Amino acid sequence: MNNIRVQSEPFDPNQEVDLLRDNDPSIGAVVTFIGLMRDINEGDKVSRLFLEHYPGMTERALQEIVAEANARWELQHCRVVHRVGDLRPTDPIVLVAVASLHRKEAFMACEFIIDYLKTKAPFWKKESTPDGERWVDARESDDKATQHWRAQ
Amino acid sequence: MIQVLFFARFREELGVASEQLEIENLGCVGDLLDRLQQRGEAWGRLFAADQRVMMAVNQAVADRKTPLEEGDEVALFPPVTGG
């Protein structure tokens, strides 16, 4: 079962993992990725982050990424939660949690989902630094991570 | 008519979040980008051929060759930075 959410409210990663597991005795492995807001980027102090998205397309893009992961690996449950709006350092930005019978599938699928999310899902970060606000630039290393999966 | 949406840095630099355009002479997304680019100033700069622009039609990833139809929702935005 998949659960995909985009929300401005904070979320509790531990609670999300409990909900993913839901006492399902057939689950053998859970792999979780939690993306957190850092207080430093490109050498500058960051006090605040604003996350913009494209409502409608964002949810659709995440659904497609999770569907692709399910097509590539045998998975039991996937959970993706992404914050939008205002965030502070230490806040969880995104959670990807995957449950499967064995660890390999869960590790691969979790990495695949976050790699694709970073280059395909329409979210944009704007950060507040001592010099003012600025849009975060996309990273070439993220593109490479997505391309690596395409070759497989 | 088609609805064109702009997000993040594009929206701020263009000073507009969305606009409606007649679809006449806009066969594909590339035609739309060329039309917007010809407006010059921020439009000319953001939609120049060497700029990275992501595009979507009806909320699905598109490219310059994606055909346009009456009533379509087109979105133009900078490379994404979520996660």
Side-chain angles (χ1 to χ4, degrees), chain A residues 1-73:
Chain A
M1 206 188 68
N2 300 321
N3 183 293
I4 293 163
R5 296 181 346 253
V6 177
Q7 61 184 51
S8 52
E9 304 76 30
F11 63 88
D12 175 357
N14 295 324
Q15 191 188 11
E16 296 296 335
V17 173
D18 286 344
L19 289 166
L20 171 92
R21 293 175 58 194
D22 192 28
N23 289 320
D24 177 351
S26 72
I27 295 174
V30 172
V31 171
T32 305
F33 171 81
I34 305 165
L36 301 166
M37 193 202 146
R38 271 182 288 127
D39 69 352
I40 199 155
N41 192 31
E42 309 278 332
D44 295 313
K45 195 88 181 150
V46 181
S47 58
R48 202 181 130 251
L49 191 66
F50 180 78
L51 260 148
E52 177 174 331
H53 77 127
Y54 178 2
M57 182 176 174
T58 316
E59 291 81 356
R60 186 174 161 160
L62 295 177
Q63 295 280 0
E64 283 171 8
I65 293 165
V66 169
E68 172 72 19
N70 276 281
R72 285 182 179 230
W73 298 282

Side-chain angles (χ1 to χ4, degrees), chain B residues 39-77:
Chain B
R39 291 175 174 177
E41 299 183 341
W43 303 88
R45 183 165 41 77
L46 291 178
F47 301 128
D50 63 346
Q51 292 299 301
R52 285 192 65 193
V53 178
M54 287 182 76
M55 42 207 107
V57 174
N58 299 326
Q59 306 191 349
V61 174
D63 58 34
R64 293 186 67 99
K65 295 192 193 101
T66 306
L68 291 178
E69 288 178 29
E70 181 66 25
D72 277 350
E73 175 180 294
V74 184
L76 302 173
F77 44 84

Side-chain angles (χ1 to χ4, degrees), chain A residues 9-152:
Chain A
E9 304 76 30
F11 63 88
D12 175 357
N14 295 324
Q15 191 188 11
E16 296 296 335
V17 173
D18 286 344
L19 289 166
L20 171 92
R21 293 175 58 194
D22 192 28
N23 289 320
D24 177 351
S26 72
I27 295 174
V30 172
V31 171
T32 305
F33 171 81
I34 305 165
L36 301 166
M37 193 202 146
R38 271 182 288 127
D39 69 352
I40 199 155
N41 192 31
E42 309 278 332
D44 295 313
K45 195 88 181 150
V46 181
S47 58
R48 202 181 130 251
L49 191 66
F50 180 78
L51 260 148
E52 177 174 331
H53 77 127
Y54 178 2
M57 182 176 174
T58 316
E59 291 81 356
R60 186 174 161 160
L62 295 177
Q63 295 280 0
E64 283 171 8
I65 293 165
V66 169
E68 172 72 19
N70 276 281
R72 285 182 179 230
W73 298 282
E74 201 177 323
L75 309 174
Q76 292 171 299
H77 312 288
C78 291
R79 210 166 177 90
V80 179
V81 186
H82 203 297
R83 289 279 306 276
V84 290
D86 285 306
L87 282 92
R88 301 277 170 180
T90 74
D91 280 351
I93 301 172
V94 59
L95 167 125
V96 178
V98 180
S100 59
L101 293 175
H102 305 288
R103 71 184 184 284
K104 184 91 178 167
E105 289 79 6
F107 270 122
M108 302 274 276
C110 186
E111 189 175 14
F112 172 89
I113 291 169
I114 189 62
D115 283 351
Y116 262 58
L117 183 156
K118 279 191 159 280
T119 54
K120 307 273 182 208
F123 293 101
W124 302 274
K125 290 188 181 116
K126 191 183 203 181
E127 56 191 15
S128 298
T129 72
D131 295 327
E133 295 191 326
R134 67 183 181 199
W135 290 100
V136 174
D137 281 328
R139 287 174 202 272
E140 203 184 327
S141 58
D142 288 336
D143 282 336
K144 289 209 173 106
T146 309
Q147 280 159 15
H148 146 85
W149 291 108
R150 227 173 264 151
Q152 293 189 6

